[in-house]
Amino acid sequence: MSKTKIAIFPKIKTLSAVALLLLLFGCPQKLAPNNYAVKRVSDGDTLVASDAAGKDIKVRFACVDAPEVAHTNAEKNSKAAAKKNQFKWGNLAHQRMQQLVKQGGGRVVLTVTDTDRYGRKVSEVRLPNGTFAQEVLIREGLAMVYRPYLKNCPSASILEQAEAEAKKNRRGVWGDSKFVPAWKFRNSDK
């Protein structure tokens, strides 16, 4: 073997080791500008996230309305059947959204469609792997399409189809004859 070939072998070994390490541990990925860290899930259709600069934003899920969760001790201790029912479903939607966020590694990808009267960013919410959070909640009967929001909803047809399937199969709230949609519950509770 020539001296040139022998001198190349150590370099090839080093490069192979570096390539192997990169394959095993991966390279740090640059996150898309619409990729956010979730600080907390407030309920089934609201969360707080922070951007790459650490700025917090409140997010209201576009196109859907999830059942309410109890906010006060009086609500938590209420004996009223309608409230207990609403909060039961609200807690299930909240828990499911927490599971989805965990599944996404604590991150979501937002497509902001509007800002609501409370300053929240109205957004389509997806996990980094593309799972559409609103579709999951609707398909499982843990949220309902909120038709007044559909005008700014790029994925309206997906959500309407998911809701039709949930209704047909009586999933979640669609199988509960006592459930009152969240928008009606909020109006009747005032």
Side-chain angles (χ1 to χ4, degrees):
M1 231 189 259
S2 74
K3 289 183 180 182
T4 308
K5 286 184 181 175
I6 294 173
I8 293 176
F9 285 135
K11 291 179 184 175
I12 291 174
K13 282 183 180 178
T14 303
L15 287 174
S16 296
V18 168
L20 181 62
L21 286 172
L22 286 173
L23 284 173
L24 289 174
F25 298 105
C27 298
Q29 297 178 349
K30 184 165 173 72
L31 297 173
N34 58 345
N35 189 305
Y36 294 82
V38 176
K39 293 188 88 172
R40 77 175 170 280
V41 175
S42 305
D43 58 29
D45 58 19
T46 313
L47 58 80
V48 177
S50 60
D51 63 16
K55 181 182 176 205
D56 287 357
I57 62 164
K58 290 182 181 177
V59 178
R60 171 68 169 90
F61 292 18
C63 323
V64 304
D65 200 6
E68 293 296 315
V69 295
H71 295 286
T72 65
N73 283 332
E75 287 179 330
K76 290 175 186 171
N77 298 321
S78 175
K79 302 293 183 212
K83 286 185 179 185
K84 287 173 76 171
N85 185 269
Q86 184 72 202
F87 301 151
K88 172 188 82 168
W89 287 109
N91 288 335
L92 290 170
H94 182 223
Q95 290 167 5
R96 183 61 172 123
M97 195 56 221
Q98 288 175 315
Q99 290 172 346
L100 288 170
V101 167
K102 186 176 181 181
Q103 178 186 325
R107 301 197 73 82
V108 292
V109 177
L110 302 177
T111 302
V112 178
T113 61
D114 203 357
T115 300
D116 72 8
R117 63 184 175 179
Y118 305 108
R120 298 176 298 188
K121 299 298 180 189
V122 178
S123 306
E124 288 193 343
V125 180
R126 288 181 168 75
L127 302 183
N129 71 3
T131 299
F132 186 20
Q134 282 100 313
E135 181 183 9
V136 171
L137 294 170
I138 296 247
R139 192 171 302 284
E140 294 177 7
L142 296 174
M144 300 172 90
V145 170
Y146 189 54
R147 285 173 170 66
Y149 282 4
L150 284 184
K151 66 182 183 294
N152 293 331
C153 187
S155 303
S157 62
I158 292 169
L159 297 177
E160 288 177 312
Q161 182 179 352
E163 185 176 74
E165 182 185 312
K167 250 182 186 176
K168 178 183 173 192
N169 294 305
R170 303 185 52 74
R171 288 191 199 121
V173 299
W174 299 107
D176 182 348
S177 62
K178 294 181 176 131
F179 180 76
V180 175
W183 58 87
K184 288 183 180 177
F185 174 81
R186 284 190 300 272
N187 285 337
S188 68
D189 199 43
K190 291 180 180 178

